[in-house]
Amino acid sequence: MTATAHLQAGPARASEIEARIGELLARMSLDQKIGQMTQPERAHISPAEVKAYHIGSVLSGGGSCPGDNRPADWVAMNDAYWAASMEEDEDHLAIPLLYGVDAIHGNGNVRGATIFPHNIGLGAMRDPDLIERIGRVTAREVLATGVDWTFAPTLAVARDPRWGRTYESYSEDPALVAEYADRIVRGLQGARNGTGPDRPGRGGVIACAKHWVGDGGTLAGVDQGDTVAAEEELRRLHIAPYLPALDAGVLTVMVSLSSWNGEKCHAHRYLIQEVLKRELGLRGFVVSDWNGIDPLAEDYAEAAAMAVNAGIDMFMVPETWRDFIGGLKQRVEWGVVPMQRIDDAVTRILRVKFAAGLFDRPRPWARRGANGSSFGSREHREVAREAVRKSLVLLKNEAGTLPLDRDARILVTGRNAHDRGAQCGGFTVEWQGVSGNDAIQGGTSVWEGIQARAPRAEHRTDGGADASPDDFDVAVVVIGERPYAEGLGDIREPGPVRPGANHVPAGPGALQPYGNTLELSALHPEDVATIQALSGRGIPVVTVLVSGRPLVVNPELAASAAFVAAWLPGSEGAGLADVLFGDHDFQGRLPRSWPAEMPSGEDPRRNGSVAGGASILFPIGHGLRTR
Ligand code: GLC
């Protein structure tokens, strides 16, 4: 059954669910209720503790994987947690555990998964139908591991490319994000009316729209920073994409670690309780982000109480889950947190579990989708390869350099030419992603895709140091960023961000940004050196940029005969060859403005542009064709 079928199966079914919730809630103790609201990380809790503390959910942080990180290892882990949660006795009620992961571009944690382009590349496709298909494939590969919940889609409207999470945003344009929002939710959760093509067990997973709200609008793109905006602008730019997602029945929403006008979203009662729940009608539950309550108050129990009273229902408290449980219980007993708020939170959590059919599903290893043979299958990879093709944006093509002749003598080089890890970026096998090819099983690098088409292509790791136009007709130079995630991808000066601006970074990541400029020639000077050396010797260069965002690439562009923005294409690098050799023409269009210079200001609205206030080289929507 699809994840929202029970919610949409009609009033009779919905009222049956509400009756079951009421009956169960009436039997629950305060400990059992608070347990349902608690989400530890797998490395910090055992199945026995899940039962002893009545835990409602467990998650894997990025890269936190069981055993040999194969689907069977995940199924076994989830089965153990589920079994513990269902062992009813005089102290424990059988309420199925909900396991959550960041399957944000395919089930990225797991070896051998189909890895789709990150959202910035999907935004370049302008293809909502394909977005829904991607959601459906992703759901299948999540269910194959016994997992029911993904912390996706990200509905951020990234307004400044200096943000380390720009690649998780479909676009700087809220309208494009909104156009995808309902489709990705339907793809992940299964058809809204529950009569979709999926059979029980192969249906949907629970989706999670994130991060509520304004995560992509912070000053200078600082991760977890402060979004300074009037409410009208917050609604127009950052809340707008949530409306179609809510209409599509998204079951959960994750709160942002950022602030709005200096107030942490995790403590923002108006945004959560009044706007998201009351005004916009979320019927599912709200989950905090990773340690999101920590900065709210010196006293952890007080911080927990603030967040619960603000309207958050479930708490991602990876290591401090015991303190959370004890602190919240104390604040309930003191009357600081009303029992009505606890009951509302638990009602919402139970509603999602019933809506997703968790009470009706068999144990993880007995489910039809578990260890599904479609995991990482050729069929799934073809969907990802189509997305790669459609995501590529052609920014320059002098003298018809592209498409390439498959019989040409092609030199392929550059740091990211044969690096499936770089293609995938962050949230792939590891939180920060991986470099190289070993950890990304299945799939193809850019070089492997070219090699399969062009018998006279040659890969060089030395940048083609002695290559001559006598030996090569053209060079394909694949450059760009190494993998990163979240604050580690920010572009700003290293070190603590001005506390006065309420940019209170959490954890070590926010302190070591990727670099202090968007100028690629400063971040990775070897890239422009390679391009200039080859073009300077008379070999025309097709430059392919693998990056999580637009970068300032003026010298690289100038020295290239053709230039392709490939974003973070994921595991199916062969999709580039499909277009470079002309089987398919370029169709991608920029999902965001391309800056001509390094943004200097804090305010993304300066200059009327959205590239962090910088002047624009290519506008949103730009993209060339070869024919
Ligand atoms: C991270 C991210 C969030 C992710 C969560 C679990 O800090 O902000 O997007 O879903 O933690 O990994």
Side-chain angles (χ1 to χ4, degrees):
M1 184 62 81
T2 55
T4 56
H6 296 279
L7 277 189
Q8 275 74 36
R13 183 80 182 98
S15 64
E16 180 195 329
I17 287 178
E18 297 305 311
R20 291 178 75 179
I21 292 169
E23 184 274 330
L24 191 46
L25 192 69
R27 295 164 57 202
M28 294 173 75
S29 67
L30 178 57
D31 288 344
Q32 289 164 345
K33 292 176 181 176
I34 292 177
Q36 277 302 307
M37 297 169 66
T38 307
Q39 184 189 56
E41 209 279 340
R42 61 171 284 278
H44 304 283
I45 190 163
S46 67
E49 289 167 323
V50 159
K51 176 180 178 183
Y53 290 87
H54 321 292
I55 298 298
S57 176
V58 173
L59 86 146
S60 276
S64 178
C65 309
D68 190 31
N69 192 18
R70 303 287 179 188
D73 299 301
W74 285 82
V75 171
M77 171 188 72
N78 273 298
D79 195 77
Y81 280 129
W82 183 93
S85 72
M86 297 299 280
E87 267 178 33
E88 182 144 332
D89 60 26
E90 64 279 2
D91 297 325
H92 179 71
L93 289 172
I95 299 175
L97 180 111
L98 181 55
Y99 200 94
V101 296
D102 290 290
I104 65 171
H105 65 142
N107 197 353
N109 274 321
V110 189
R111 282 184 193 283
T114 304
I115 306 296
F116 290 94
H118 269 294
N119 287 350
I120 190 168
L122 302 184
M125 302 189 316
R126 300 303 200 280
D127 189 335
D129 292 338
L130 183 46
I131 286 292
E132 185 161 346
R133 287 162 55 208
I134 288 171
R136 200 161 22 250
V137 168
T138 300
R140 286 210 187 101
E141 297 206 7
V142 169
L143 289 170
T145 61
V147 173
D148 301 293
W149 183 21
T150 176
F151 307 129
T154 298
L155 297 182
V157 180
R159 302 290 286 175
D160 190 318
R162 289 173 287 185
W163 188 32
R165 309 191 74 166
T166 296
Y167 66 76
E168 295 183 64
S169 169
Y170 293 118
S171 176
E172 72 188 25
D173 179 355
L176 177 52
V177 181
E179 192 182 352
Y180 279 6
D182 59 338
R183 304 300 297 273
I184 186 65
V185 167
R186 285 194 171 82
L188 288 170
Q189 293 194 162
R192 184 180 170 82
N193 60 11
T195 57
D198 296 315
R199 299 188 302 277
R202 284 185 57 233
V205 294
I206 297 164
C208 182
K210 69 184 186 182
H211 309 80
W212 178 264
V213 67
D215 50 348
T218 61
L219 292 177
V222 172
D223 188 44
Q224 307 181 25
D226 194 10
T227 296
V228 177
E231 181 165 350
E232 175 280 327
E233 181 177 325
L234 187 77
R235 287 177 177 268
R236 174 167 46 83
L237 291 183
H238 302 290
I239 289 180
Y242 284 80
L243 274 59
L246 290 162
D247 181 60
V250 69
L251 288 169
T252 67
V253 173
M254 185 183 293
V255 181
S256 178
L257 293 166
S258 59
S259 302
W260 177 39
N261 293 336
E263 191 175 345
K264 279 284 181 188
C265 291
H266 272 72
H268 215 293
R269 192 178 189 288
Y270 173 71
L271 286 178
I272 301 170
Q273 197 66 42
E274 296 309 314
V275 176
L276 179 57
K277 289 184 171 180
R278 193 185 308 280
E279 177 188 332
L280 300 183
L282 173 72
R283 287 178 43 70
F285 69 79
V286 176
V287 62
S288 76
D289 199 345
W290 189 279
N291 292 329
I293 65 176
D294 293 16
L296 302 186
E298 283 298 314
D299 179 293
Y300 189 66
E302 181 184 342
M306 288 169 69
V308 174
N309 284 337
I312 299 177
D313 304 305
M314 183 180 283
F315 291 82
M316 192 183 292
V317 283
E319 298 178 60
T320 56
W321 57 272
R322 291 179 183 81
D323 295 340
F324 171 77
I325 289 170
L328 178 53
K329 185 172 183 180
Q330 177 198 68
R331 284 328 198 253
V332 172
E333 288 165 347
W334 289 6
V336 172
V337 176
M339 182 55 80
Q340 177 279 330
R341 178 70 271 276
I342 298 292
D343 286 346
D344 173 51
V346 177
T347 294
R348 288 172 175 271
I349 292 166
L350 294 178
R351 182 178 295 135
V352 169
K353 291 186 174 183
F354 278 114
L358 295 194
F359 283 88
D360 307 325
R361 279 185 186 167
R363 62 190 304 161
W365 63 253
R367 293 174 192 164
R368 184 180 301 198
N371 289 309
S373 57
S374 68
F375 186 89
S377 64
R378 180 176 178 74
E379 174 205 358
H380 286 182
R381 293 183 187 279
E382 282 304 315
V383 177
R385 186 166 173 165
E386 176 185 351
V388 173
R389 289 196 293 268
K390 293 180 173 179
S391 68
L392 304 176
V393 181
L394 182 60
L395 298 179
K396 181 179 183 182
N397 190 27
E398 264 174 1
T401 306
L402 290 175
L404 298 176
D405 177 345
R406 66 173 56 205
D407 293 325
R409 299 168 301 165
I410 304 170
L411 165 65
V412 179
T413 191
R415 210 159 16 85
N416 289 340
H418 185 48
D419 190 327
R420 294 194 292 272
Q423 289 167 205
C424 292
F427 288 96
T428 313
V429 181
E430 296 295 342
W431 174 47
Q432 291 295 313
V434 289
S435 291
N437 294 300
D438 297 346
I440 309 294
Q441 285 158 19
T444 44
S445 67
V446 178
W447 157 240
E448 288 167 328
I450 293 172
Q451 184 183 31
R453 315 288 285 272
R456 302 172 73 188
E458 184 179 331
H459 177 229
R460 290 275 193 83
T461 56
D462 62 358
D466 59 354
S468 140
D470 299 336
D471 305 318
F472 293 101
D473 303 310
V474 65
V476 176
V477 181
V478 188
I479 60 172
E481 296 179 310
R482 54 171 166 70
Y484 56 81
E486 302 189 44
L488 281 159
D490 278 2
I491 295 293
R492 54 180 178 74
E493 293 305 327
V497 181
R498 282 184 300 108
N502 204 17
H503 300 166
V504 180
L511 300 184
Q512 291 86 38
Y514 189 97
N516 64 0
T517 176
L518 284 171
E519 293 180 5
L520 182 61
S521 55
L523 293 171
H524 297 288
E526 68 275 22
D527 291 351
V528 65
T530 299
I531 298 166
Q532 288 174 340
L534 292 168
S535 59
R537 291 204 294 273
I539 301 175
V541 173
V542 175
T543 297
V544 175
L545 178 66
V546 172
S547 66
R549 58 192 145 200
L551 295 168
V552 177
V553 289
N554 303 337
E556 294 84 356
L557 262 171
S560 303
F563 196 101
V564 177
W567 317 110
L568 296 173
S571 58
E572 307 312 307
L576 273 97
D578 295 343
V579 179
L580 293 176
F581 289 101
D583 296 4
H584 299 262
D585 197 2
F586 288 89
Q587 75 168 63
R589 291 190 285 129
L590 288 181
R592 57 177 312 108
S593 315
W594 196 287
E597 60 183 352
M598 171 61 184
S600 55
E602 274 207 327
D603 184 344
R605 292 179 297 277
R606 202 166 54 80
N607 282 351
S609 76
V610 285
S615 56
I616 300 297
L617 181 64
F618 301 114
I620 184 171
H622 176 75
L624 304 178
R625 303 292 178 268
T626 61
R627 44 188 187 251

